[in-house]
Amino acid sequence: MTTTWFAERPGHGAVLVSGPDATSFLQSLVSQDLEPLGDGDGAPSLLLTPQGKLDVILRMLRVGGETGPEWWLDCEAGFGDHLAGALNRFRIRVDAAVEDRTDAWGLLEVRGEDAAARVATEAQVDAPEQQGSHVPWGDRRLVRADWPDRPGVDVVGPIESVRAVRDALREAGVPAVELGQYETARIEAGLPRLGVDVDERTIPQEAFLERDAVSFTKGCFLGQELVCRIDTRGHVNRHLRRLRISAGRAPERGAEVVADGASVGTVTSVAEGAGASLALAMVRREVAPPAEVTLRDADGEVSATVEALPGSGT
């Protein structure tokens, strides 16, 4: 894939939470500790179910100072209204407003070694350097958004303002990638997609989401009991893994993962490439990298090697 590229993310979920109680309201619900974050800071977080399973994976950007901070939340396409609805169900006797602005808000992802420098030059601002940090760019925000295997930035803001950045990058010679290319890059980076690789049955530790998105030192939050109990006294029975298919066709999503004749998991995403294909799969804990497995679907079987997700360390 080209060294530096951009991808539009149409329909990505965008929710604004504002008001005097916005920070304390969110702090009581999400898995991330928001207290250390000031204007220009951001962090990944999770909204869990009361049972500790995934509800929404989100990024939280704090915009504004102590007197009136806003929280810009973004999440996977198709989950913006769900996130806003979930937050509003808990908004009882707090001075905070929750607004779903998915239809009016845009997200542009730029990835590559010189992505931050190229967009910062266009914006005439200093590129944010710390993951999740962001700087104002008119009515937009330029956000540091590195992937485990490649640096990058996101542009978030009103959809027409974001499209103007898209057009400027295209004119500057930065290519856009199609959905299939984007999915290949995402799978290479080992990034789970909500509703595809993980869902409402997933415990955060199964996809290593707790590493960046969960604080184990903050006060109570929704679903805390399960994730904290696993962290201190237990383990999960399955993990999200990357699979490398060195030869043969790419399997279908939903293909069965087989090890030593037993079914041990399911393929969740597939990226077909030249010479080798990659997939993500949720597999039993005991099938650890670099185990050799068979992927079985209606068209037959292919062999694959289990790999750790980039950045997971396991």
Side-chain angles (χ1 to χ4, degrees):
M1 184 176 288
T2 306
T3 301
T4 296
W5 48 264
F6 71 83
E8 290 187 86
R9 299 303 308 280
H12 92 286
V15 174
L16 172 67
V17 182
S18 60
D21 296 338
T23 301
S24 59
F25 167 61
L26 291 170
Q27 177 77 339
S28 68
L29 294 176
V30 302
S31 62
Q32 187 62 263
D33 188 0
L34 306 183
E35 292 298 337
L37 303 183
D39 183 22
D41 293 330
S45 189
L46 309 172
L47 182 66
L48 303 176
T49 68
Q51 294 75 33
K53 305 293 183 67
L54 279 182
D55 194 5
V56 184
I57 303 172
L58 61 149
R59 178 175 60 189
M60 311 185 69
L61 307 179
R62 179 166 176 161
V63 179
E66 293 294 332
T67 57
E70 295 180 344
W71 290 93
W72 294 13
L73 315 181
D74 56 72
C75 61
E76 189 70 50
F79 287 88
D81 59 344
H82 176 79
L83 174 59
L87 293 176
N88 271 317
R89 283 194 296 274
F90 290 101
R91 192 171 56 85
I92 301 171
R93 293 190 295 275
V94 294
D95 192 357
V98 176
E99 175 190 352
D100 180 7
R101 54 186 184 181
T102 298
D103 292 341
W105 221 242
L107 170 66
L108 189 74
E109 299 187 10
V110 190
R111 299 290 178 268
E113 291 298 327
D114 63 348
R118 296 189 73 162
V119 180
T121 298
E122 180 68 30
Q124 297 185 336
V125 298
D126 292 331
E129 297 182 356
Q130 183 177 348
Q131 181 78 335
S133 62
H134 49 97
V135 295
W137 180 9
D139 55 0
R140 300 157 291 212
R141 287 271 160 165
L142 178 60
V143 188
R144 189 75 193 202
D146 297 337
W147 282 4
D149 63 343
R150 71 190 72 198
V153 290
D154 289 350
V155 182
V156 184
I159 192 165
E160 292 303 325
S161 295
V162 173
R163 286 173 177 167
V165 179
R166 172 204 63 189
D167 295 342
L169 289 176
R170 185 179 285 124
E171 291 178 7
V174 180
V177 296
E178 301 298 329
L179 178 59
Q181 294 173 297
Y182 178 88
E183 280 294 286
T184 296
R186 177 186 71 83
I187 292 168
E188 287 176 348
L191 298 174
R193 184 177 170 192
L194 185 62
V196 176
D197 305 295
V198 294
D199 56 26
E200 71 280 357
R201 300 166 296 177
T202 305
I203 299 169
Q205 284 95 333
E206 292 176 335
F208 305 98
L209 297 171
E210 85 287 356
R211 294 175 181 266
D212 299 318
V214 176
S215 169
F216 292 99
T217 58
K218 67 174 282 186
C220 294
F221 59 88
L222 190 65
Q224 178 189 40
E225 182 179 356
L226 177 63
V227 292
C228 289
R229 184 171 68 246
I230 290 171
D231 182 65
T232 57
R233 302 202 303 268
H235 61 262
V236 291
N237 293 325
R238 58 180 191 162
H239 283 124
L240 189 67
R241 299 296 192 187
R242 192 172 66 180
L243 306 179
R244 187 170 298 274
I245 304 110
S246 57
R249 64 180 179 84
E252 295 293 325
R253 179 173 183 261
E256 183 182 22
V257 182
V258 178
D260 296 327
S263 178
V264 295
T266 304
V267 171
T268 59
S269 288
V270 179
E272 189 169 4
S277 298
L278 291 174
L280 296 179
M282 193 69 79
V283 300
R284 293 284 304 175
R285 177 173 61 94
E286 57 268 24
V287 185
E292 297 296 322
V293 297
T294 299
L295 309 181
R296 181 184 297 159
D297 61 16
D299 294 325
E301 297 181 348
V302 293
S303 299
T305 302
V306 176
E307 298 180 342
L309 298 185
S312 71
T314 304

